[in-house]
Amino acid sequence: MSRDFIVATYNANSLRPRMGIVLDWLAKHRPDVLALQETKVRDAEFPAGPFREAGWNVVYRGQKSYNGVAFVSKEPLAGVRDRLYPGLPEEDARYIECECRGVRIFNTYIPQGASLDSPKFQFKLKYLADLKEAFAKSVKPSVPALWVGDMNVAQTEIDLARPKENQDHVCFHADARRAFRETAGELWIDLFREKEKGPGHYTFWDYRFPTALSKNLGWRIDLILGTRAMAGRLREIWIDRDARKLEKPSDHTFLKAVFSAD
DNA sequence: ATGGTTGGCATCCAA
């Protein structure tokens, strides 16, 4: 008896104050895998207990205060790697990959970049270039693979509410868009755009603009990308805008994709 | 509108 394969992604903007929202969402949607970013918790303090008590498996890589990525899954995950730079002693906790039901899943929290003149923006461009190298080693169009997470790049003018005002924003500047486009290349298909071609669909609304959500002044920067093999299995893909309206929400919301079994 | 809010942690940084 085959069953659908469900994958979701969520930038929690700190996991611990979002545990209620995340556990409720998992119970309702029952994904095979939920990828989390910005967990903002050291591994020793990761709230694995509440997930396991609710029947979920977790793998995670975090650090103090910033960044942090994780997978929550129905079944234990195989092939977990949590370094983009395996040879180096330290790196930001922005990368984790796994294998689930025959699909390789890469979960990334791409650097935001701070400002165009910041070294952090150069780090963002390099991070994307280095990811391309990592993908080139193991992923081909015929391989069932997904790249999910907070990409911190809005790719085109319809992927943010105010493109003209944000030409020099680190998440929309031509250099960031070029770097992302280069990494995605011909390999990675933005699966949301397989189903929805129109504007006004966002996954992030800035806390600093209290009317951002009601006016829908958002950004589509959280993505599920797939190889050709996975695009062919895509049934539906959907942004859970309502989860952004809950009490004490993240500034991002959930993106969920449903695939046929194989 | 060079503003505004949130989280972690420390009296500011990051987003």
Side-chain angles (χ1 to χ4, degrees):
Chain A
M1 176 67 191
S2 66
R3 58 193 166 89
D4 286 344
F5 179 59
I6 303 175
V7 176
T9 184
Y10 181 55
N11 178 321
N13 185 23
S14 188
L15 179 57
R16 283 173 289 184
R18 235 61 76 193
M19 283 300 285
I21 285 175
V22 172
L23 287 168
D24 286 352
W25 200 91
L26 287 166
K28 183 173 180 182
H29 294 276
R30 305 290 305 163
D32 290 274
V33 179
L34 171 65
L36 296 169
Q37 305 86 34
E38 276 205 273
T39 56
K40 295 189 182 182
V41 59
R42 292 182 190 92
D43 290 346
E45 278 105 51
F46 189 92
F51 284 115
R52 291 179 178 142
E53 286 156 23
W56 298 96
N57 296 273
V58 283
V59 292
Y60 41 85
R61 171 157 156 72
Q63 66 186 84
K64 183 181 175 182
S65 304
Y66 309 117
N67 309 321
V69 285
F71 286 118
V72 186
S73 61
K74 276 185 186 166
E75 301 296 330
L77 296 171
V80 176
R81 290 189 283 259
D82 61 11
R83 299 282 181 126
L84 177 59
Y85 303 103
L88 300 180
E90 290 292 334
E91 70 177 70
D92 285 357
R94 297 178 175 276
Y95 177 101
I96 192 166
E97 57 167 301
C98 70
E99 179 105 2
C100 181
R101 294 181 58 188
V103 181
R104 179 136 297 271
I105 306 176
F106 300 88
N107 173 13
T108 59
Y109 174 46
I110 301 299
Q112 195 260 9
S115 63
L116 295 181
D117 59 358
S118 168
K120 291 177 183 176
F121 188 65
Q122 295 309 309
F123 175 54
K124 176 180 197 165
L125 302 181
K126 178 171 168 24
Y127 203 91
L128 285 164
D130 291 344
L131 261 180
K132 183 178 179 69
E133 296 301 309
F135 291 147
K137 290 176 186 165
S138 59
V139 190
K140 300 184 297 184
S142 60
V143 169
L146 299 171
W147 172 25
V148 312
D150 179 356
M151 307 305 174
N152 268 317
V153 176
Q155 299 168 86
T156 74
E157 295 201 342
I158 61 169
D159 293 316
L160 69 167
R162 299 201 154 160
K164 289 179 176 60
E165 295 85 345
N166 285 293
Q167 296 290 329
D168 290 331
H169 191 289
V170 288
C171 295
F172 191 58
H173 187 270
D175 289 351
R177 294 158 66 188
R178 188 180 301 112
F180 186 82
R181 191 164 58 243
E182 182 66 25
T183 299
E186 300 289 305
L187 182 62
W188 293 109
I189 301 162
D190 179 356
L191 295 182
F192 187 82
R193 286 298 180 213
E194 292 288 284
K195 300 293 188 185
E196 175 56 65
K197 304 295 187 191
H201 300 277
Y202 309 124
T203 62
F204 163 82
W205 298 262
D206 199 324
Y207 287 137
R208 289 169 292 186
F209 298 90
T211 59
L213 188 63
S214 62
K215 293 181 176 173
N216 201 25
L217 302 179
W219 298 66
R220 194 176 69 87
I221 55 178
D222 300 273
L223 307 178
I224 297 176
L225 302 110
T227 55
R228 190 180 64 225
M230 291 307 290
R233 290 169 50 180
L234 181 66
R235 286 192 192 279
E236 57 182 275
I237 181 164
W238 168 75
I239 297 166
D240 185 4
R241 196 171 183 279
D242 286 343
R244 181 64 177 79
K245 302 173 185 170
L246 299 170
E247 283 285 306
K248 297 293 268 179
S250 169
D251 42 3
H252 297 247
T253 198
F254 297 83
L255 173 66
K256 172 186 169 181
V258 181
F259 302 90
S260 57
D262 46 35

